[in-house]
Amino acid sequence: MATPQTSPFLSPGSVSKAESWAMLHLRRDQVRPTKLTHEAAQSDGYKEGPVTNTRFGSFPHSTLVGLPWGSQVRASVVDTGSRGRRATDALESGRQKRKRENADSDLAGQEISTPDQDEDAPFSATPLTASSGFIHLLPPTVELWTTSLPHRTQVVYTPDYSYILHRLRARPGSVLIEAGAGSGSFSHAAARAVFNGYPPPSSNGAEVKGQEKRYGQIWSYEFHEQRVERLKTEIQEHGLADIIHITHRDVYEDGFLQDAHTSVEPRADAIFLDLPAPWLALPHLTRRSAGRPSSVENGMANGVIARSPLNPDSAVHICTFSPCIEQAQRTIAALREMGWVDAEMVTVAQKRIEVRRERIGLQGEGQRGCNASPATVEEAFERLKWIGGRAKRFHARTQARNNSKKDDVVVVEGSPPGEKEPALNMMEESPPVEKEPSLKMIEESAPVESEPALKMMESQATTSRKLFKEGRLVHRAEPELKAHTAYLVFAVLPRDWTATDEEAAARNWPFKRDQGTANARNDATISEHVA
């Protein structure tokens, strides 16, 4: 018996592994799903092996394998000149071989080997850490896959499918039918919700008689053939082929049964219809007449009850995904006609609430999230007073220096006593004036008495101040909606209650005849008084 393939989306482990999937987190709104591999066919000629190139640098897969999830990985210096070199060398070698075959008989059949052609080790270079650039290595999850998958159709986002699966009561071991697989976002989320182990390969995803454990399954249907093939490839690569079963079919005409000649039935507990006209698929989702329109066309004899894709032993929950209110109205009308109850329409509008503390004041200057402006009039007045005094001292010191230069004179040798001459020679021998003396003067002209006060304020800010108690809390809603605006219609189909079920209930919960007669008399007496 073959061992089922383990999915990294369900069991990622604690570290990244080769030949498995990982999510490269480039920035908050950009994640790249990548399969880590050592295969030479995926190396593109790089000496370092397979490489993923991003705007933040190049990352060889050899540097991403074996790391704990959440690790920060630095970019590597990759020999970009080696890219495609092996293919070019092989082509050039073939050309040289054909030339020698057309040459003289003495040289016929000889081959010229290139240096790269004789290399046995495909990846000879060791990656070197680059000076800048990094990413974070994250495990593959359904949420990250939803934000990074290739969009082939409109995607069901996390706020929608989390609420849908909750209302459908999807739990480990449930069986769910999905019509309109599209890009596979909901398929991955539903597979995680119903997963309770991998079914044995012999069951082919169907419920086997006598089987104690019921494994969670997703029966998915898609009308577009190209999307089906692409989705099958992705599900196989993600290790979900034993849980998600994709079928190319028009459910409006052909229904949801897998094969009319076998006993393979979904026996679904929940249904999700992402279709343009869900009411056209509802006739195939009944307990007595589900399946193909005619039992004769399916090779079934007359008088045999048509099989149903629904679980006969439990109530079935359904959800339809419609972008227009008219579609929702028509779907609700069709559900009521076919016996579905508790119909309800819901729309999901998710907004992220940002909670932060708004701090204003000059003491928090340079701190993140602080508005460096005066909080009160007194603080503004003290700030202006300090700046004004600083400017006065600066101009006073500048004037004093200019006056001292004019009065500074020296006595020249040989001159008469008492005769003075400006010290021009000393000024010429003095070092050159700095290009930006104003900055130095401003620093020197700061009031001496204010510097200790500022230092004291800084020390108090780091020791006694509690920033989390300052300012006010601000709650702001995110302006953009991170969900697709649609109308979700929910309903429930109760299980059939037959005479056999009634007899079984009577045996399990016996009802005394005398007590029942007395209760009936009391009800009749009450009715007479009311009349």
Side-chain angles (χ1 to χ4, degrees):
M1 180 181 298
T3 304
Q5 182 183 359
T6 303
S7 172
F9 284 80
L10 303 176
S11 304
S14 59
V15 298
S16 59
K17 303 176 183 178
E19 305 304 326
S20 185
W21 286 84
M23 296 292 178
L24 306 186
H25 185 273
L26 307 181
R27 56 186 184 185
R28 188 173 68 93
D29 57 347
Q30 185 176 5
V31 180
R32 178 179 297 185
T34 304
K35 185 177 182 180
L36 307 181
T37 180
H38 291 314
E39 296 181 1
Q42 306 294 331
S43 64
D44 292 334
Y46 284 111
K47 291 183 178 180
E48 293 81 5
V51 176
T52 297
N53 295 308
T54 69
R55 58 180 298 181
F56 301 104
S58 300
F59 299 88
H61 290 192
S62 58
T63 63
L64 303 176
V65 175
L67 298 180
W69 298 119
S71 301
Q72 185 186 83
V73 184
R74 295 286 301 273
S76 300
V77 179
V78 176
D79 183 11
T80 56
S82 63
R83 184 176 183 178
R85 184 181 299 168
R86 297 176 63 86
T88 305
D89 293 340
L91 180 61
E92 185 64 24
S93 175
R95 292 176 180 175
Q96 294 179 359
K97 180 178 179 180
R98 287 192 297 270
K99 289 182 180 179
R100 289 186 175 275
E101 289 178 351
N102 296 331
D104 299 334
S105 58
D106 297 338
L107 300 177
Q110 296 183 8
E111 300 180 6
I112 297 179
S113 62
T114 59
D116 290 342
Q117 192 176 4
D118 298 333
E119 292 181 355
D120 296 330
F123 314 137
S124 57
T126 302
L128 302 176
T129 303
S131 59
S132 62
F134 65 88
I135 60 173
H136 288 88
L137 191 66
L138 301 180
T141 62
V142 175
E143 291 77 13
L144 294 178
W145 174 251
T146 300
T147 60
S148 59
L149 57 80
H151 286 214
R152 295 179 288 270
T153 57
Q154 176 63 46
V155 176
V156 181
Y157 289 99
T158 302
D160 289 323
Y161 65 60
S162 58
Y163 181 75
I164 292 171
L165 293 172
H166 170 71
R167 289 292 302 269
L168 292 179
R169 300 186 180 183
R171 59 177 66 93
S174 299
V175 178
L176 189 144
I177 287 178
E178 176 195 15
S183 300
S185 173
F186 185 83
S187 303
H188 284 70
R192 185 183 61 179
V194 305
F195 174 72
N196 65 336
Y198 298 97
S202 59
S203 64
N204 194 23
E207 187 173 351
V208 181
K209 270 191 173 183
Q211 180 176 284
E212 297 181 358
K213 184 175 181 180
R214 192 182 190 212
Y215 293 93
Q217 298 289 319
I218 305 298
W219 298 87
S220 185
Y221 302 86
E222 174 59 44
F223 176 75
H224 197 272
E225 186 175 2
Q226 286 75 16
R227 287 199 291 264
V228 170
E229 297 301 325
R230 180 56 184 160
L231 192 56
K232 284 183 177 180
T233 303
E234 291 177 351
I235 290 175
Q236 184 68 33
E237 292 177 350
H238 297 169
L240 299 173
D242 295 327
I243 302 174
I244 304 176
H245 309 280
I246 305 294
T247 303
H248 174 227
R249 179 180 298 173
D250 181 7
V251 295
Y252 294 156
E253 299 292 336
D254 301 327
F256 299 90
L257 292 176
Q258 291 296 302
D259 193 344
H261 303 282
T262 63
S263 59
V264 178
E265 300 175 3
R267 296 173 60 87
D269 307 307
I271 303 166
F272 176 65
L273 303 180
D274 188 2
L275 301 172
W279 56 89
L280 297 180
L282 292 178
H284 302 281
L285 295 172
T286 57
R287 297 191 182 278
R288 295 185 178 86
S289 58
R292 280 35 172 200
S294 174
S295 59
V296 179
E297 295 177 1
N298 296 313
M300 302 173 63
N302 294 330
V304 179
I305 300 176
R307 296 177 296 127
S308 171
L310 307 181
N311 186 2
D313 301 327
S314 66
V316 179
H317 295 75
I318 191 173
C319 173
T320 64
F321 190 92
S322 303
C324 300
I325 188 66
E326 293 80 9
Q327 294 173 316
Q329 292 175 344
R330 191 167 180 179
T331 301
I332 292 176
L335 287 171
R336 289 174 175 172
E337 292 177 1
M338 297 180 184
W340 295 80
V341 298
D342 296 340
E344 180 184 5
M345 188 190 71
V346 179
T347 181
V348 178
Q350 181 219 19
K351 280 191 175 182
R352 182 179 301 172
I353 304 298
E354 179 188 6
V355 181
R356 62 184 181 89
R357 189 173 296 276
E358 189 178 62
R359 293 186 289 112
I360 301 176
L362 298 176
Q363 294 181 354
E365 185 175 359
Q367 298 179 4
R368 184 177 182 182
C370 180
N371 186 3
S373 60
T376 61
V377 177
E378 290 78 7
E379 189 175 0
F381 178 75
E382 292 295 334
R383 179 69 173 176
L384 293 175
K385 184 178 178 180
W386 181 80
I387 293 176
R390 185 176 180 180
K392 289 180 180 179
R393 289 180 177 84
F394 168 72
H395 292 298
R397 289 191 180 185
T398 304
Q399 186 67 23
R401 289 180 182 178
N402 294 336
N403 295 336
S404 64
K405 289 180 180 180
K406 292 180 180 179
D407 297 338
D408 190 9
V409 294
V410 295
V411 178
V412 182
E413 294 183 1
S415 60
E419 185 177 358
K420 299 180 180 181
E421 183 176 341
L424 298 176
N425 296 332
M426 294 181 63
M427 294 178 62
E428 293 177 358
E429 294 176 359
S430 61
V433 181
E434 297 179 2
K435 294 182 179 180
E436 297 181 358
S438 59
L439 180 60
K440 187 177 181 181
M441 291 180 182
I442 291 175
E443 295 176 355
E444 295 177 355
S445 63
V448 180
E449 63 272 14
S450 65
E451 293 179 359
L454 291 177
K455 292 182 179 179
M456 185 178 299
M457 291 171 60
E458 292 177 358
S459 62
Q460 292 178 355
T462 56
T463 56
S464 62
R465 288 179 57 195
K466 297 181 179 179
L467 299 180
F468 65 89
K469 289 187 176 181
E470 297 181 2
R472 59 175 183 172
L473 288 178
V474 180
H475 303 71
R476 295 180 178 176
E478 196 174 35
E480 297 181 1
L481 294 178
K482 299 299 182 182
H484 174 57
T485 304
Y487 298 99
L488 306 177
V489 176
F490 296 93
V492 181
L493 182 63
R495 58 166 296 184
D496 287 340
W497 192 258
T498 61
T500 305
D501 297 327
E502 184 67 26
E503 294 176 0
R507 289 193 302 268
N508 295 331
W509 298 281
F511 185 74
K512 295 181 180 179
R513 184 180 300 276
D514 297 339
Q515 182 179 357
T517 305
N519 293 337
R521 291 175 181 175
N522 293 334
D523 294 340
T525 305
I526 294 173
S527 300
E528 291 177 359
H529 286 293
V530 172

